[in-house]
Amino acid sequence: MVIHKMDTQNIFPSECLQLVSTHLSHSDLSQCMYVCRSWYNTFQRSLYKSVRIYSDEQLQTFMDALILSRSLDTGYYWGCHIKHLYLVHYSSIHQSHFSKYTGLINPSVIYLSQEIFDQITVLCPQLETFIFDISQWGHITLTEFHKPWQNMKSPPPIAVINMDHCFFSVFGTNITTLHITHDPHELQLVISKIGIISSLKHLILNMHFNETNITTTTLAISEYLEAINHALPYLHSLEFRRTSTPLNERPPADENGDALSLFSRKSHLRSLSLHGHIDSIRWFQFISSNYPYLRTLEINKLSASRFGAKWAWQSALIELVKSMPSLRSLSLGGRNIPQLFSNSLARELKSPFCSIDNLYIDFETYQAIESCQFLLVISDHGFRQLTHLRLRVFEDTPGWSGVTKSLFKCKQLISLELYLSKDHNAQFPSTPFLIDCFISNMPQLTSLSLIGANVQVMSTHPNVYYEPNKPCSLKELMLSQCRLQDLQSILYHISRNCSSFRNLVVEQCITCNTENKSHPLLFPTFTIDMPYTRLNRLMINSTMTLMTPNSLPFDYIAIKILHSPHVKTEYEIAWCKFHQKNRNVYHYRYLPKNEDIHNELEKIYNCYMSPYVYSDLMPGNYIPSIGTILVKCQSVTELYIDDYKIHLHPIYIKQI
């Protein structure tokens, strides 16, 4: 019998494969590359199109691979496929709509040397996006000898004083997204620089205030924004931020009658973000008069000390909503934002003539009265446009805030970050957060973050679960500083009822179901039980449960992933070694593949699991303590312990 090889190129055209590749993870793309030569060429472009570097070690490995690919002299190398390159830290992986960083430890900056920068200009000629920390410009110098990027669309953030002729010769003038940092006295310099880039569509301006210039600088904000309007008539979005401490506020705009005035020509801007600039109710009229075509408006960091009469600000916001018929998305955040909400605003948003479809609310600080008033407004009227919410409530008395019952009326809410403040005795809220009941009443919710909650399920029996009336859309869950009553039941319920669930972050939590230990040196297994879920990202903090009975860290942690019975792939055990203790926080790092060390650890691990443990171990020898993390899921793409990525190597076994 003659077996003919299937011609996959005729069955799946490259155009169809490119479309399919946009829905695959990096691990799936890497496996598709080795199906055939045609698939290799097609999926290679998608795999290397966007690269994210999370550590200095990864950056060095990335550069070594680039140089090796170039040295093979095969006519092309995969550096030509890279279009987006990001240098970010592990801690910035888990991000929310409101915060740029929600991680386990303070993020550190990836060091980009002059040598590596020079190599990237040569090895990645097709870059369109290149992002790294702005502090790296302190030791990076641009020269005329650098090879220019012809297709650069989004260069890294840069200070305006560094935007010389070398910057434009290297990054070009076809930039569409630009992030600039400047001092207040450099406003005219910013205008002269951005006027050269006629193709600019998205502009981010960070105005930096310090103790010396915050009181001596007089700003003509209206003239500055009007100059940007004239210099960039085709600009789509503008983010205008100011950085300074709340105690060092500049004089308000009302002291200067010309500070906020009408433009000679109305702006056609579609998106506007004002961060830290609004200190007067005149800003609302200024926005509605000069930016009538806005579709997205973001207001953050209102003045802390000059808020004035609450009713005046509430009336000004209502007039803003009425006078902007094109506005589709409104984002409000900051310490004084809770005082802007009233029954009148709720009725206006409820009106059929209101154009706003998406409402983003961020209560930056805890304010007991304002938070309760906001929940009462939701309970009475409901916010049909509310899609993203970050809220802080107080739950000393059981059910006092009524937060869960009130939020059930927000039928469009898809992202929620809920902070539950502890009581005066630093205890967790006495009201349990029944997560199964919550997600069943909010089936549209896709992202949920709980901080300081007492998380439970209605039934802890393994065969009884609160079945939802509708399919749950939850995709990602973050649990931070929470008390978890029976974590296995919580995760099993989510796995069973949330078919789209992909990302899980558990950090600095307390679990209340500790199994009996089987050996003094082998602590009970900490289990992530999600048998029906394909996880894209799993992040765990080792200090959560992996501690010895003496509250000391283990010498090693064994991580084992068990898949569902119908899956034929199982991962080998990965090992982490205790690294350091920093401010009473223990950290573990991934132990690279070393056959001798791994064999010895696996021998000890198997010996611990043996019923003849005491006869197998020699007395008097040093025996390391081992903690165990057992992950039960269909698959997991990325696994992080203490912000360090664990490399998982699949091995294929026979189905049992």
Coordinates of all heavy atoms in Angstrom, one line a residue, residues 261-328:
S261 N -9.9 79.4 28.1 CA -10.7 80.2 27.2 C -11.0 79.4 25.9 O -10.6 78.3 25.8 CB -9.9 81.5 26.8 OG -8.7 81.1 26.2
L262 N -11.9 80.0 25.1 CA -12.3 79.3 23.9 C -11.2 79.3 22.8 O -10.5 80.2 22.7 CB -13.6 79.9 23.3 CG -14.8 79.9 24.2 CD1 -16.0 80.7 23.6 CD2 -15.2 78.5 24.5
F263 N -11.2 78.2 22.1 CA -10.3 78.1 20.9 C -10.8 78.9 19.8 O -12.0 79.1 19.6 CB -10.1 76.6 20.5 CG -9.4 75.7 21.5 CD1 -9.4 74.4 21.3 CD2 -8.8 76.3 22.6 CE1 -8.8 73.5 22.2 CE2 -8.1 75.4 23.5 CZ -8.1 74.1 23.3
S264 N -9.9 79.4 19.0 CA -10.3 80.1 17.7 C -10.9 79.1 16.7 O -11.7 79.5 15.9 CB -9.1 80.8 17.1 OG -8.1 79.8 16.8
R265 N -10.5 77.8 16.8 CA -11.1 76.7 15.9 C -11.3 75.5 16.8 O -10.4 75.0 17.5 CB -10.1 76.4 14.8 CG -10.6 75.4 13.8 CD -9.6 75.1 12.7 NE -8.4 74.6 13.2 CZ -7.3 74.4 12.5 NH1 -7.3 74.7 11.2 NH2 -6.2 73.9 13.1
K266 N -12.5 75.0 16.8 CA -12.9 73.8 17.6 C -12.0 72.6 17.2 O -11.8 72.4 16.0 CB -14.4 73.5 17.5 CG -15.2 74.6 18.1 CD -16.7 74.2 18.0 CE -17.6 75.4 18.6 NZ -17.3 75.7 20.0
S267 N -11.7 71.8 18.2 CA -10.9 70.7 17.9 C -11.7 69.5 17.5 O -12.9 69.3 17.9 CB -10.1 70.3 19.2 OG -9.4 69.0 19.1
H268 N -11.1 68.6 16.6 CA -11.8 67.4 16.1 C -11.3 66.2 16.8 O -11.4 65.1 16.3 CB -11.6 67.3 14.6 CG -12.4 68.3 13.8 ND1 -13.6 68.0 13.3 CD2 -12.1 69.6 13.4 CE1 -14.1 69.1 12.7 NE2 -13.1 70.0 12.7
L269 N -10.7 66.4 18.0 CA -10.1 65.3 18.8 C -11.2 64.3 19.2 O -12.4 64.7 19.5 CB -9.5 65.9 20.1 CG -8.4 65.0 20.8 CD1 -7.2 64.8 19.9 CD2 -8.1 65.6 22.1
R270 N -10.9 63.0 19.1 CA -11.9 62.0 19.4 C -11.7 61.5 20.9 O -12.7 61.0 21.4 CB -11.7 60.8 18.4 CG -12.0 61.2 17.0 CD -13.5 61.5 16.8 NE -13.8 61.9 15.4 CZ -15.0 62.0 14.9 NH1 -16.0 61.8 15.7 NH2 -15.2 62.4 13.7
S271 N -10.5 61.5 21.4 CA -10.3 61.0 22.8 C -9.4 61.9 23.5 O -8.4 62.4 23.0 CB -9.6 59.6 22.7 OG -9.3 59.1 23.9
L272 N -9.8 62.3 24.8 CA -9.1 63.2 25.6 C -9.0 62.6 27.0 O -10.0 62.2 27.6 CB -9.8 64.6 25.7 CG -9.2 65.6 26.6 CD1 -7.8 66.0 26.1 CD2 -10.1 66.8 26.6
S273 N -7.8 62.6 27.6 CA -7.6 62.2 28.9 C -6.8 63.3 29.7 O -5.8 63.7 29.3 CB -6.7 60.9 28.9 OG -6.4 60.5 30.2
L274 N -7.4 63.7 30.8 CA -6.9 64.8 31.6 C -6.6 64.2 33.0 O -7.5 63.8 33.7 CB -7.8 66.0 31.8 CG -8.1 66.7 30.5 CD1 -9.2 67.8 30.7 CD2 -6.9 67.4 29.9
H275 N -5.3 64.2 33.4 CA -4.9 63.5 34.6 C -4.2 64.6 35.5 O -3.0 65.0 35.2 CB -3.9 62.4 34.3 CG -3.5 61.6 35.5 ND1 -4.1 60.4 35.9 CD2 -2.5 61.8 36.4 CE1 -3.5 60.0 36.9 NE2 -2.6 60.8 37.3
G276 N -4.8 65.0 36.6 CA -4.3 65.9 37.5 C -4.4 67.4 37.2 O -3.8 68.2 37.9
H277 N -5.1 67.8 36.1 CA -5.1 69.2 35.7 C -6.4 69.8 36.1 O -6.5 71.1 36.3 CB -5.0 69.3 34.2 CG -3.7 69.0 33.6 ND1 -2.7 70.0 33.7 CD2 -3.1 67.9 33.1 CE1 -1.6 69.5 33.1 NE2 -1.8 68.2 32.8
I278 N -7.5 69.1 36.3 CA -8.8 69.7 36.6 C -8.9 70.1 38.1 O -8.8 69.3 39.0 CB -9.9 68.7 36.3 CG1 -9.9 68.4 34.8 CG2 -11.3 69.3 36.7 CD1 -11.1 67.5 34.3
D279 N -8.9 71.4 38.3 CA -9.0 72.0 39.6 C -10.1 73.0 39.7 O -10.1 73.8 40.7 CB -7.6 72.6 40.0 CG -7.1 73.6 39.0 OD1 -7.9 74.0 38.1 OD2 -6.0 74.0 39.0
S280 N -10.9 73.1 38.7 CA -12.0 74.1 38.7 C -13.2 73.6 37.9 O -13.0 72.8 37.0 CB -11.5 75.4 38.2 OG -12.6 76.3 37.9
I281 N -14.4 74.0 38.3 CA -15.6 73.5 37.5 C -15.6 74.2 36.1 O -16.3 73.7 35.2 CB -16.9 73.9 38.3 CG1 -17.0 75.4 38.5 CG2 -17.0 73.1 39.6 CD1 -18.3 75.8 39.1
R282 N -14.8 75.2 35.9 CA -14.7 75.8 34.6 C -14.1 74.8 33.5 O -14.3 75.0 32.3 CB -13.8 77.1 34.6 CG -14.4 78.2 35.4 CD -13.6 79.4 35.3 NE -13.4 79.8 33.9 CZ -12.5 80.7 33.5 NH1 -11.6 81.2 34.4 NH2 -12.4 81.0 32.2
W283 N -13.4 73.8 34.0 CA -12.9 72.8 33.1 C -14.0 72.1 32.3 O -13.8 71.8 31.1 CB -12.0 71.8 33.8 CG -10.6 72.2 34.0 CD1 -10.0 72.8 35.0 CD2 -9.5 72.0 33.0 NE1 -8.7 73.1 34.8 CE2 -8.4 72.6 33.6 CE3 -9.5 71.5 31.8 CZ2 -7.1 72.5 32.9 CZ3 -8.3 71.4 31.1 CH2 -7.1 72.0 31.7
F284 N -15.1 71.8 32.9 CA -16.2 71.1 32.3 C -16.7 71.9 31.1 O -17.0 71.3 30.0 CB -17.3 70.8 33.3 CG -16.8 69.8 34.3 CD1 -16.6 70.2 35.6 CD2 -16.7 68.4 34.1 CE1 -16.2 69.3 36.6 CE2 -16.3 67.5 35.0 CZ -16.0 68.0 36.3
Q285 N -16.9 73.2 31.3 CA -17.4 74.0 30.2 C -16.3 74.2 29.1 O -16.6 74.2 27.9 CB -17.8 75.4 30.7 CG -18.4 76.3 29.6 CD -18.8 77.7 30.2 OE1 -18.6 78.0 31.4 NE2 -19.3 78.5 29.3
F286 N -15.0 74.2 29.6 CA -13.9 74.3 28.6 C -13.9 73.1 27.7 O -13.7 73.2 26.5 CB -12.6 74.5 29.4 CG -11.4 74.4 28.6 CD1 -10.9 75.5 27.9 CD2 -10.6 73.2 28.5 CE1 -9.8 75.5 27.1 CE2 -9.5 73.2 27.7 CZ -9.1 74.3 27.1
I287 N -14.1 71.9 28.3 CA -14.1 70.7 27.5 C -15.2 70.6 26.5 O -15.0 70.3 25.3 CB -14.1 69.5 28.4 CG1 -12.8 69.4 29.3 CG2 -14.2 68.2 27.6 CD1 -12.8 68.4 30.4
S288 N -16.4 70.9 27.0 CA -17.6 70.8 26.1 C -17.6 71.8 25.0 O -18.1 71.6 23.9 CB -18.9 70.9 26.9 OG -18.9 72.2 27.6
S289 N -17.0 73.0 25.2 CA -17.0 74.1 24.2 C -15.9 73.8 23.2 O -16.1 74.1 22.0 CB -16.8 75.4 24.9 OG -17.8 75.7 25.8
N290 N -14.7 73.4 23.6 CA -13.6 73.3 22.6 C -13.4 71.9 22.0 O -12.7 71.7 21.0 CB -12.3 73.6 23.4 CG -12.3 75.1 23.8 OD1 -12.6 76.0 23.0 ND2 -11.9 75.3 25.0
Y291 N -14.0 70.8 22.7 CA -13.9 69.5 22.1 C -15.3 68.9 22.0 O -15.6 67.9 22.6 CB -13.1 68.6 23.1 CG -11.6 69.1 23.3 CD1 -11.3 69.9 24.4 CD2 -10.6 68.8 22.4 CE1 -10.0 70.3 24.6 CE2 -9.3 69.3 22.6 CZ -9.0 70.0 23.7 OH -7.8 70.5 23.9
P292 N -16.1 69.4 21.1 CA -17.5 68.9 20.9 C -17.6 67.6 20.3 O -18.7 67.0 20.3 CB -18.1 70.0 20.1 CG -17.0 70.6 19.2 CD -15.8 70.5 20.1
Y293 N -16.5 67.1 19.6 CA -16.6 65.8 18.9 C -16.0 64.7 19.6 O -15.8 63.6 19.1 CB -16.0 66.0 17.5 CG -16.5 67.1 16.7 CD1 -15.7 68.3 16.6 CD2 -17.7 67.0 16.1 CE1 -16.2 69.3 15.8 CE2 -18.2 68.1 15.3 CZ -17.5 69.3 15.2 OH -17.9 70.3 14.5
L294 N -15.8 64.8 20.9 CA -15.2 63.8 21.7 C -16.1 62.6 21.8 O -17.3 62.7 22.0 CB -14.9 64.3 23.1 CG -13.6 65.1 23.4 CD1 -13.5 65.5 24.8 CD2 -12.4 64.4 22.9
R295 N -15.5 61.4 21.6 CA -16.2 60.1 21.8 C -15.7 59.4 23.1 O -16.5 58.6 23.7 CB -16.0 59.2 20.6 CG -16.5 59.8 19.3 CD -16.3 58.8 18.2 NE -17.0 57.6 18.4 CZ -18.3 57.4 18.0 NH1 -18.9 58.4 17.3 NH2 -18.9 56.3 18.1
T296 N -14.5 59.8 23.6 CA -14.0 59.2 24.8 C -13.4 60.3 25.7 O -12.6 61.1 25.2 CB -12.9 58.1 24.5 OG1 -13.5 57.1 23.7 CG2 -12.4 57.5 25.8
L297 N -13.8 60.4 26.9 CA -13.3 61.4 27.9 C -12.9 60.7 29.2 O -13.7 59.9 29.8 CB -14.4 62.5 28.2 CG -14.0 63.5 29.2 CD1 -12.8 64.3 28.8 CD2 -15.2 64.4 29.5
E298 N -11.7 61.0 29.6 CA -11.2 60.4 30.8 C -10.7 61.5 31.8 O -9.9 62.4 31.4 CB -10.0 59.5 30.5 CG -9.5 58.8 31.8 CD -8.4 57.8 31.5 OE1 -8.1 57.5 30.3 OE2 -7.7 57.3 32.4
I299 N -11.2 61.6 33.0 CA -10.9 62.6 34.0 C -10.4 61.9 35.2 O -11.1 61.1 35.8 CB -12.1 63.4 34.3 CG1 -12.6 64.2 33.1 CG2 -11.8 64.4 35.4 CD1 -13.9 65.0 33.3
N300 N -9.1 62.2 35.6 CA -8.5 61.6 36.8 C -7.9 62.6 37.6 O -7.4 63.7 37.1 CB -7.5 60.5 36.3 CG -8.1 59.3 35.9 OD1 -9.0 58.7 36.5 ND2 -7.6 58.7 34.8
K301 N -7.8 62.4 38.9 CA -7.0 63.2 39.9 C -7.5 64.6 39.9 O -6.9 65.6 39.6 CB -5.5 63.2 39.5 CG -4.9 61.9 39.5 CD -4.6 61.4 40.9 CE -3.8 60.1 40.9 NZ -3.5 59.6 42.2
L302 N -8.8 64.8 40.4 CA -9.3 66.1 40.6 C -8.5 66.7 41.8 O -7.9 66.1 42.6 CB -10.8 66.1 40.9 CG -11.7 66.2 39.7 CD1 -11.6 65.0 38.9 CD2 -13.1 66.4 40.2
S303 N -8.6 68.1 41.9 CA -7.9 68.8 43.0 C -8.3 68.3 44.3 O -9.5 68.1 44.6 CB -8.1 70.3 42.8 OG -7.6 71.0 44.0
A304 N -7.4 68.1 45.2 CA -7.7 67.5 46.6 C -8.1 68.6 47.6 O -8.9 68.3 48.4 CB -6.5 66.8 47.1
S305 N -7.6 69.8 47.4 CA -7.9 70.8 48.5 C -8.8 71.9 48.0 O -9.2 72.7 48.8 CB -6.6 71.4 48.9 OG -5.9 72.1 47.8
R306 N -9.1 72.0 46.7 CA -10.0 73.1 46.3 C -11.2 72.6 45.6 O -11.6 73.1 44.5 CB -9.2 74.0 45.3 CG -8.0 74.7 45.9 CD -7.4 75.7 44.9 NE -6.9 75.0 43.8 CZ -5.6 74.6 43.7 NH1 -4.8 74.7 44.7 NH2 -5.2 74.0 42.6
F307 N -11.8 71.5 46.1 CA -13.0 70.9 45.5 C -14.2 71.9 45.5 O -14.9 71.9 44.6 CB -13.3 69.6 46.2 CG -14.3 68.8 45.4 CD1 -14.0 68.0 44.3 CD2 -15.7 68.8 45.8 CE1 -14.9 67.3 43.6 CE2 -16.6 68.1 45.1 CZ -16.2 67.3 44.0
G308 N -14.4 72.6 46.6 CA -15.4 73.6 46.7 C -16.8 72.9 47.0 O -16.8 71.8 47.5
A309 N -17.9 73.6 46.6 CA -19.2 73.1 46.9 C -19.5 71.8 46.0 O -19.3 71.8 44.8 CB -20.2 74.2 46.6
K310 N -20.0 70.8 46.7 CA -20.3 69.5 46.0 C -21.3 69.7 44.9 O -21.2 69.2 43.8 CB -20.7 68.5 47.0 CG -20.9 67.1 46.4 CD -21.6 66.1 47.4 CE -20.7 65.9 48.6 NZ -21.3 64.9 49.5
W311 N -22.4 70.4 45.2 CA -23.5 70.6 44.3 C -23.1 71.3 43.0 O -23.6 71.0 41.9 CB -24.7 71.3 45.0 CG -24.3 72.8 45.3 CD1 -23.9 73.2 46.5 CD2 -24.4 73.9 44.5 NE1 -23.6 74.6 46.5 CE2 -24.0 75.0 45.2 CE3 -24.8 74.1 43.2 CZ2 -24.0 76.3 44.7 CZ3 -24.8 75.4 42.6 CH2 -24.4 76.5 43.4
A312 N -22.1 72.2 43.1 CA -21.7 72.9 41.9 C -20.9 72.0 41.0 O -21.1 72.1 39.7 CB -20.8 74.1 42.3
W313 N -20.1 71.1 41.5 CA -19.4 70.2 40.7 C -20.3 69.1 40.1 O -20.2 68.8 38.9 CB -18.3 69.4 41.5 CG -17.1 70.3 41.8 CD1 -17.0 71.2 42.7 CD2 -15.9 70.2 41.1 NE1 -15.7 71.8 42.7 CE2 -15.0 71.2 41.7 CE3 -15.4 69.5 40.1 CZ2 -13.7 71.4 41.3 CZ3 -14.1 69.7 39.6 CH2 -13.2 70.7 40.2
Q314 N -21.3 68.7 40.8 CA -22.3 67.8 40.3 C -23.1 68.4 39.2 O -23.3 67.7 38.1 CB -23.2 67.3 41.4 CG -22.5 66.5 42.5 CD -23.5 66.2 43.7 OE1 -24.6 66.7 43.8 NE2 -23.0 65.3 44.6
S315 N -23.5 69.6 39.3 CA -24.2 70.3 38.3 C -23.4 70.5 37.0 O -23.9 70.3 35.9 CB -24.8 71.7 38.8 OG -25.6 71.5 39.9
A316 N -22.1 70.8 37.2 CA -21.2 71.0 36.1 C -21.0 69.7 35.3 O -21.0 69.7 34.0 CB -19.9 71.6 36.5
L317 N -20.9 68.6 36.0 CA -20.7 67.3 35.3 C -22.0 66.9 34.5 O -21.9 66.4 33.4 CB -20.4 66.2 36.3 CG -20.2 64.8 35.7 CD1 -19.1 64.8 34.7 CD2 -19.9 63.8 36.9
I318 N -23.2 67.2 35.1 CA -24.4 66.9 34.4 C -24.5 67.7 33.1 O -25.0 67.2 32.1 CB -25.6 67.1 35.3 CG1 -25.6 66.1 36.5 CG2 -26.9 67.0 34.6 CD1 -26.6 66.4 37.6
E319 N -24.2 69.0 33.2 CA -24.2 69.9 32.0 C -23.2 69.4 30.9 O -23.5 69.5 29.7 CB -23.9 71.3 32.4 CG -25.0 72.0 33.2 CD -26.3 72.1 32.5 OE1 -26.3 72.3 31.2 OE2 -27.3 71.9 33.1
L320 N -22.1 68.9 31.4 CA -21.1 68.3 30.4 C -21.7 67.1 29.7 O -21.6 67.0 28.4 CB -19.9 67.9 31.2 CG -18.8 67.1 30.3 CD1 -18.2 68.0 29.3 CD2 -17.7 66.5 31.3
V321 N -22.4 66.2 30.4 CA -23.0 65.1 29.8 C -24.1 65.5 28.8 O -24.2 64.9 27.7 CB -23.5 64.1 30.9 CG1 -24.3 63.0 30.2 CG2 -22.4 63.6 31.7
K322 N -24.9 66.5 29.2 CA -26.0 66.9 28.3 C -25.5 67.6 27.0 O -26.1 67.5 25.9 CB -26.9 67.9 29.1 CG -27.7 67.3 30.1 CD -28.6 68.4 30.8 CE -29.5 67.7 31.9 NZ -30.3 68.8 32.5
S323 N -24.3 68.4 27.1 CA -23.9 69.2 26.0 C -22.9 68.5 25.0 O -22.4 69.1 24.1 CB -23.2 70.4 26.6 OG -22.0 70.1 27.4
M324 N -22.7 67.2 25.2 CA -21.8 66.4 24.4 C -22.5 65.2 23.8 O -22.4 64.1 24.3 CB -20.5 66.0 25.1 CG -19.8 67.2 25.7 SD -18.1 66.7 26.3 CE -17.3 66.4 24.8
P325 N -23.3 65.4 22.7 CA -24.1 64.3 22.2 C -23.2 63.2 21.5 O -23.7 62.1 21.3 CB -25.0 65.0 21.1 CG -24.2 66.2 20.7 CD -23.5 66.7 22.0
S326 N -22.0 63.5 21.2 CA -21.1 62.5 20.6 C -20.4 61.6 21.5 O -19.7 60.6 21.1 CB -20.1 63.2 19.6 OG -20.7 63.9 18.6
L327 N -20.4 61.9 22.8 CA -19.6 61.2 23.8 C -20.2 59.8 24.0 O -21.4 59.6 24.3 CB -19.7 62.0 25.2 CG -18.7 61.6 26.2 CD1 -17.3 61.8 25.8 CD2 -18.9 62.3 27.5
R328 N -19.3 58.8 23.9 CA -19.7 57.4 24.0 C -19.1 56.8 25.3 O -19.7 55.8 25.8 CB -19.3 56.6 22.8 CG -20.0 57.0 21.5 CD -21.5 56.7 21.6 NE -22.2 57.1 20.4 CZ -22.8 58.2 20.2 NH1 -22.8 59.1 21.1 NH2 -23.4 58.5 19.0

